Amino acid sequence: MEAKQVLEISLSAGQILLSNGAESYRVEETIERKCIPSYSF
């Protein structure tokens, strides 16, 4: 999976969470957990 795809999926998940009333820290954590394991430096 390419980095762009991982980012798009993570951002979509964050957007869904926000639209359903999730707290911002939860959205940030979700995006980090999806992106970091896939492309750790």
Side-chain angles (χ1 to χ4, degrees), residues 8-26:
E8 287 175 358
I9 292 168
S10 297
L11 292 176
S12 293
Q15 189 173 28
I16 291 168
L17 288 168
L18 280 175
S19 67
N20 285 297
E23 306 241 352
S24 60
Y25 78 91
R26 179 85 58 197

Side-chain angles (χ1 to χ4, degrees), residues 20-41:
N20 285 297
E23 306 241 352
S24 60
Y25 78 91
R26 179 85 58 197
V27 174
E28 290 173 14
E29 185 176 292
T30 300
I31 292 171
E32 288 175 2
R33 287 179 184 244
K34 292 190 179 304
C35 288
I36 291 173
S38 298
Y39 292 93
S40 59
F41 296 99

